[in-house]
Amino acid sequence: MQASYSLPNSSSRSLATLAIAALLAGAAHAQAPDLGFRPVDLAAGPFEFETAEQGGIRVETVVTGFARPFSLAFLPSGDALISERGVGLRLVRDATGARGETALVETPIAGGPPRGVGRTGGMHEIAVHPDFEGNQLVYYTYNATGPANADGQATSIATLARARYADGVLVSPEVLLEGEAVAGGSGSRLAFGDGYLYMTTGAPFGGEGQHTDNIYGKVLRLNEDGSIPDDNPFVGTPGARGEVFTLGHRDQLGLTVHQPTGTVLAAEHGPNGGDEINRIQPGRNYGWPDYSFGRSYEGPRHSERPLGPDTEQPLVLFLPSIAPTGLMFYLGDRFPEWSGNLFVGSARRGEIPGTGGLERIVVNENFEELRRESLLGPLRARIRDVRQGPDGLLYLITDDANPTLLRISPRE
């Protein structure tokens, strides 16, 4: 038998409502440390999913055993380089499986930058030169440890370097760019296009993004040898860093160049919501920290208006946030219905842990969004990077309790 309760008057009902609200608030507060979902055991795969336009896909584990993986880059041989944030660089032999000898090489690649200090210190991005077969060059970014500032805080210096990759070693490393020493630090990404090298930097909690006298909160454009292109928009501006290509960015952890057109896109974290994908155009201001579609982590809007009179609108906006990570156009032939689609990794959605996945966005010839599809949500994976392999398949790295390299293929 169900118990029944009655409230004799409005005063009693009000007291009861307040009591229930207090209990719910207390329960929510008590549950906060366990917020989110536990990740799926990816080793239990493969997993199969239906998709809106491609049909069935298969997701399988390639290798596991990484420490904080951040970036994935393929060599022409089908081997893969994976950077471990703040740690170093690893080699996955035969990542595509073409030779039947797939394995994560246990010994890290020698010759990389020093291990980092703090959460964002050390190595971040790894990128292979488009003519790697001819020059064996790889480019990488890391946050070097800087001197303590006037307040005694530790600082970091965003750094870009390149080296030759030979027999599992980075040979003759060369620093191409160093930023200013700043408290804290952020991630960075690299992409090649039209003979240039683009690099993202972040300024999530300060005002550096609105000032051209530093490299933070920017997209930078360099020649492949690290020199500054003569036509960069702030070359010759007194006090400005000539590497600066765009400004007003928060925390950019995705970057890609659409090779057929040379169009550059970057994925940017908002503070709490307001994540963006932006079309990167020379000299433009993207608003941060003066304007944002997001909110502060305490709830209020970050700014009264999301856009200013001289700021660029995002191509794609995410409300709530998806914590965007890797970014790429699919230009292969193994998924014909996805040809030309934009893919962006997601670490989590709406600030809830264990809700990451992969976003597929269909765009028109002007890179404007037509429709989007969320993929792989049931895996509860924190996606850190997404790339097209030399075999035309999709590869992802996860950054969670058991970091994994995943392969997506059409279901047979």
Side-chain angles (χ1 to χ4, degrees):
M1 178 182 294
Q2 286 186 325
S4 62
Y5 300 90
S6 61
L7 297 176
N9 54 50
S10 60
S11 175
S12 298
R13 287 196 295 271
S14 298
L15 289 173
T17 300
L18 289 173
I20 292 170
L23 286 172
L24 291 174
H29 179 76
Q31 292 172 1
D34 297 322
L35 181 69
F37 301 89
R38 293 184 178 182
V40 171
D41 179 9
L42 298 176
F47 306 91
E48 294 187 349
F49 299 96
E50 295 296 324
T51 70
E53 294 178 71
Q54 178 58 44
I57 59 172
R58 188 173 192 262
V59 182
E60 59 186 318
T61 292
V62 178
V63 290
T64 62
F66 304 102
R68 304 173 70 196
F70 184 84
S71 177
L72 164 66
F74 278 96
L75 301 174
S77 64
D79 293 350
L81 302 175
I82 295 183
S83 68
E84 297 177 312
R85 183 160 58 99
V87 181
L89 188 62
R90 303 292 294 279
L91 175 68
V92 180
R93 184 180 294 114
D94 188 26
T96 61
R99 305 192 301 270
E101 54 182 41
T102 302
L104 174 62
V105 177
E106 183 175 351
T107 304
I109 292 171
R115 284 177 171 249
V117 176
R119 189 176 68 88
T120 62
M123 194 166 199
H124 285 255
E125 177 76 317
I126 181 71
V128 174
H129 190 278
D131 186 28
F132 177 84
E133 289 185 297
N135 58 30
Q136 276 68 58
L137 288 176
V138 296
Y139 292 68
Y140 52 96
T141 65
Y142 59 98
N143 286 342
T145 302
N149 63 18
D151 297 324
Q153 297 172 307
T155 66
S156 66
I157 300 169
T159 305
L160 166 68
R162 72 176 179 183
R164 284 192 306 108
Y165 175 75
D167 299 323
V169 179
L170 296 180
V171 179
S172 303
E174 175 187 10
V175 171
L176 302 182
L177 169 76
E178 289 183 300
E180 298 74 22
V182 294
S186 186
S188 50
R189 293 289 190 184
L190 297 171
F192 290 92
D194 291 338
Y196 299 107
L197 175 64
Y198 296 88
M199 175 179 171
T200 67
T201 62
F205 302 113
E208 296 94 343
Q210 286 298 316
H211 303 284
T212 58
D213 62 354
N214 68 85
I215 71 165
Y216 298 103
K218 314 294 193 305
V219 175
L220 312 176
R221 185 175 75 151
L222 303 166
N223 294 315
E224 292 176 359
D225 63 357
S227 61
I228 299 172
D230 293 337
D231 61 347
N232 269 11
F234 298 101
V235 168
T237 301
R241 297 273 313 232
E243 303 94 339
V244 173
F245 195 64
T246 61
L247 67 155
H249 301 285
R250 187 177 181 271
D251 199 12
Q252 304 173 97
L253 299 183
L255 180 67
T256 192
V257 176
H258 183 251
Q259 297 300 332
T261 63
T263 301
V264 183
L265 301 186
E268 178 173 336
H269 285 233
N272 185 356
D275 297 342
E276 304 173 354
I277 296 177
N278 290 304
R279 183 171 184 169
I280 301 303
Q281 301 179 79
R284 303 293 180 87
N285 189 329
Y286 293 79
W288 181 263
D290 297 335
Y291 303 98
S292 173
F293 283 88
R295 298 175 178 269
S296 73
Y297 290 109
E298 294 73 32
R301 297 184 188 278
H302 178 80
S303 57
E304 288 299 316
R305 294 183 296 165
L307 294 170
D310 299 313
T311 59
E312 295 299 308
Q313 293 194 55
L315 279 179
V316 179
L317 182 65
F318 297 97
L319 291 168
S321 64
I322 67 162
T325 52
L327 185 68
M328 57 153 277
F329 284 99
Y330 181 72
L331 301 176
D333 58 7
R334 299 292 300 277
F335 301 97
E337 300 302 322
W338 290 352
S339 179
N341 290 184
L342 183 65
F343 287 83
V344 55
S346 167
R348 65 181 183 185
R349 294 183 172 89
E351 302 297 322
I352 304 295
T355 56
L358 184 65
E359 298 288 310
R360 182 182 68 90
I361 303 169
V362 182
V363 297
N364 65 16
E365 64 276 9
N366 296 316
F367 304 99
E368 297 163 325
E369 178 183 0
L370 300 179
R371 55 190 178 275
R372 69 176 79 170
E373 179 181 17
S374 296
L375 303 169
L376 312 188
L379 296 184
R380 308 296 187 191
R382 181 179 172 86
I383 304 299
R384 182 56 76 179
D385 203 2
V386 53
R387 303 288 176 179
Q388 179 180 317
D391 54 3
L393 300 179
L394 290 178
Y395 290 81
L396 315 171
I397 50 174
T398 71
D399 178 17
D400 40 35
N402 186 28
T404 303
L405 174 63
L406 297 173
R407 178 190 298 122
I408 301 178
S409 58
R411 186 177 62 197
E412 298 298 334

